[in-house]
Amino acid sequence: MSPDPAAYDAALDRADAHARAWLAGIPQRPLPPTSDVEAVAAALGGSLPDGPTDPAEVIDLLARVVEPGLMSMGSGRFFGWVIGGTLPAALGADWLVSAWDQNAAIRFATPGVVGAEQAAGAWLLDLLGLPQSAQVAFVTGGTTANFAGLAAGRQRVLEAAGWDLDRNGLSGSPRVTVLAGADRHVTIDIALRYLGLGAPTLVEADDQGRIRPDALAAALATVEGPLIVALQAGNLHSGAFDAIGECADLVHKKGGWVHVDGAFGLWAATSPRQRHLVPGLERADSWATDAHKSLNTPYDCGVSIVRDPAALRAAFGFSAAYLIRADDDPDPYETVPEFSRRARGVPVWAALRSLGREGVAALVDAFVANAQAIAAGISEIPGAQVLNDVVYSQVCVAFESDERTRAVTERLLADGVTWMSGSTWKGRAVMRVSVSNWSTDDEDVRLSIDAVRRAAAPG
Ligand SMILES: *Cc1c(COP(=O)(O)O)cnc(C)c1O
């Protein structure tokens, strides 16, 4: 028996009402949560009732207990980590994805969502200036996108060394040298660990966290055999970009694979005004980015892009390599680490369709303009110092001492008007700003600078 459509009505109506109330409250609500994990787990937990609970009641209980424990990450004044809000069209599409409940693994089985993801993938390649023949795959996030690109690279460089990875695994294989900038994102290390490649050999970075091309050239001079180099578009602290094209050319001369971690920075390529940050981006072999950060789709949505579709398919395809025909469009499951999955690329399509080409560029331009306005405002506060060149969406601020920086950050977070996360960069305590939300406006910028001024005031 198929479910009675009316069976869903009450639960969906309640979910819709709670969602709208949550979203409507974001502009007024203090940003930090007012509840904690133990309180929420206790209120929702205990012994599981033996009998059923009405679905609408379940939704009401969930919203009532969970909401005080939510951080207002969708606020235009939330600048913590690198988060990003949710565009209206992306959220609507995400709801449909849940209602449709398609397993987006196989083309013939779910052509609706696979087709939507295919359209989104082609638009992404176009906007990012990457070859239309590259393979786009929708994964859970930037970590997995790094994993996927590096997995494709591992497959290719070992194959070129005459090693059958599928058959033999890594035991006894030629050593794969992996180089990465000293200020790479930690998820590169995690991805390499998953891949059994160990820790990367670090190459010196400059004062903004960019890999130094001269240091890379020197490191490459000593390398023999299979080689992968992980570059970065968008440093977590400074927003700085490696000289991707220049470095890629050096690596390719040695027959290596070039991967770019552009979790939030890859989006610079979509704007004519920011494109200068990524010269030669298209000369890499694989790219990782997040739609759930800069594009403002809901979690979870990362994007893995690989120039040679066969390399990605060789890494993740189930069927034996001899069964793969190059002219055959791969099924989505052959390009990602999981088999069954949600159609997470559909909200990407909706975000892009709702913004249009100019809207995507304007979104990225606004991140940069707002970051620069915040940096300018904060640098006028006595004792505050902006440590990075604000070329993109990230601002790194320090006060007179580490102790002061931590105290100001703590006061700022308690104040609740804005959220900027603490970190350490280059051995100093810092307050980090990441502008990643589509809704951040001039008023948010002004209120946030005022909040930092209050938090930094003596006494
Ligand atoms: C956020 C981030 C990642 C990891 O992405 P997730 O979506 O959190 O898995 C990787 N690299 C950089 C530069 C990032 O900012």
Side-chain angles (χ1 to χ4, degrees):
M1 188 183 95
S2 292
D4 173 3
Y8 289 100
D9 283 347
L12 288 184
D13 284 349
R14 295 311 299 148
D16 179 72
H18 288 298
R20 285 172 199 269
W22 165 255
L23 293 169
I26 283 178
Q28 297 84 37
R29 188 182 299 109
L31 273 75
T34 54
S35 182
D36 60 34
V37 172
E38 294 314 321
V40 173
L44 293 181
S47 68
L48 177 64
D50 291 330
T53 306
D54 174 69
E57 253 177 66
V58 170
I59 297 300
D60 281 340
L61 173 65
L62 186 69
R64 188 169 68 247
V65 175
V66 169
E67 282 184 2
L70 299 180
M71 172 83 89
S72 290
M73 288 183 164
S75 165
R77 283 174 273 107
F78 184 85
F79 304 112
W81 303 285
V82 186
I83 297 292
T86 297
L87 288 161
L91 177 57
D94 200 61
W95 284 7
L96 281 180
V97 167
S98 290
W100 291 336
D101 194 22
Q102 303 283 288
N103 181 346
I106 301 171
R107 297 171 64 86
F108 91 83
T110 58
V113 293
V114 175
E117 289 192 336
Q118 191 169 307
W123 279 347
L124 284 175
L125 293 173
D126 181 22
L127 290 170
L128 295 167
L130 300 179
Q132 274 295 327
S133 54
Q135 180 73 52
V136 177
F138 294 98
V139 294
T140 51
T143 307
T144 321
N146 280 331
F147 170 75
L150 293 166
R154 181 184 70 162
Q155 201 79 23
R156 271 292 181 258
V157 299
L158 281 172
E159 184 185 288
W163 184 258
D164 187 343
L165 181 64
D166 292 352
R167 188 184 167 87
N168 301 320
L170 281 177
S171 304
S173 78
R175 174 153 187 91
V176 179
T177 302
V178 184
L179 303 177
D183 217 359
R184 80 236 166 266
H185 194 266
V186 65
T187 56
I188 291 292
D189 297 41
I190 296 168
L192 292 170
R193 201 194 302 159
Y194 295 162
L195 289 164
L197 294 176
T201 301
L202 300 185
V203 179
E204 196 183 328
D206 68 12
D207 65 332
Q208 298 299 309
R210 293 172 291 228
I211 197 168
R212 286 182 45 174
D214 58 333
L216 177 63
L220 288 171
T222 67
V223 172
E224 296 289 337
L227 167 70
I228 297 173
V229 177
L231 301 174
Q232 179 166 256
N235 178 286
L236 190 64
H237 289 100
S238 69
F241 293 74
D242 290 349
I244 293 164
E246 183 185 350
C247 293
D249 293 346
L250 293 173
V251 178
H252 285 151
K253 278 201 196 102
K254 298 284 287 192
W257 178 279
V258 178
H259 173 76
V260 178
D261 174 7
F264 62 95
L266 214 62
W267 299 95
T270 66
S271 160
R273 276 171 296 277
Q274 318 303 335
R275 177 89 201 173
H276 67 95
L277 294 166
V278 289
L281 179 71
E282 67 286 354
R283 302 211 288 279
D285 299 295
S286 57
W287 303 263
T289 194
D290 265 325
H292 61 212
K293 289 180 178 172
S294 312
L295 188 61
N296 280 241
T297 67
Y299 285 91
D300 56 15
C301 191
V303 185
S304 155
I305 305 173
V306 176
R307 169 188 301 285
D308 175 5
L312 193 58
R313 205 172 175 185
F316 294 118
F318 289 13
S319 38
Y322 63 85
L323 294 177
I324 296 173
R325 293 199 310 275
D327 60 340
D328 221 2
D329 287 328
D331 278 311
Y333 78 84
E334 295 180 274
T335 63
V336 295
E338 67 266 72
F339 189 12
S340 301
R341 70 169 174 88
R342 150 183 202 81
R344 59 173 64 94
V346 173
V348 173
W349 178 86
L352 296 177
R353 186 70 166 82
S354 77
L355 291 171
R357 184 182 301 275
E358 287 170 11
V360 175
L363 176 74
V364 176
D365 290 344
F367 296 157
V368 182
N370 287 324
Q372 290 173 339
I374 289 171
I378 290 180
S379 62
E380 283 173 13
I381 297 170
Q385 189 193 355
V386 173
L387 299 183
N388 63 312
D389 300 337
V390 185
V391 297
Y392 193 55
S393 56
Q394 312 294 103
V395 186
C396 230
V397 180
F399 290 84
E400 295 90 332
S401 65
D402 286 358
E403 203 180 18
R404 257 281 288 154
T405 302
R406 288 196 198 97
V408 172
T409 306
E410 208 171 295
R411 267 208 296 279
L412 182 74
L413 300 189
D415 177 80
V417 168
T418 184
W419 184 282
M420 302 174 181
S421 39
S423 182
T424 40
W425 190 47
K426 302 199 168 295
R428 291 182 74 175
V430 292
M431 197 169 81
R432 269 184 65 250
V433 174
S434 176
V435 184
S436 315
N437 191 300
W438 67 280
S439 72
T440 301
D441 61 12
D442 292 348
E443 177 76 350
D444 290 321
V445 168
R446 192 181 61 72
L447 290 171
S448 300
I449 295 167
D450 285 350
V452 177
R453 190 177 293 110
R454 271 197 306 282

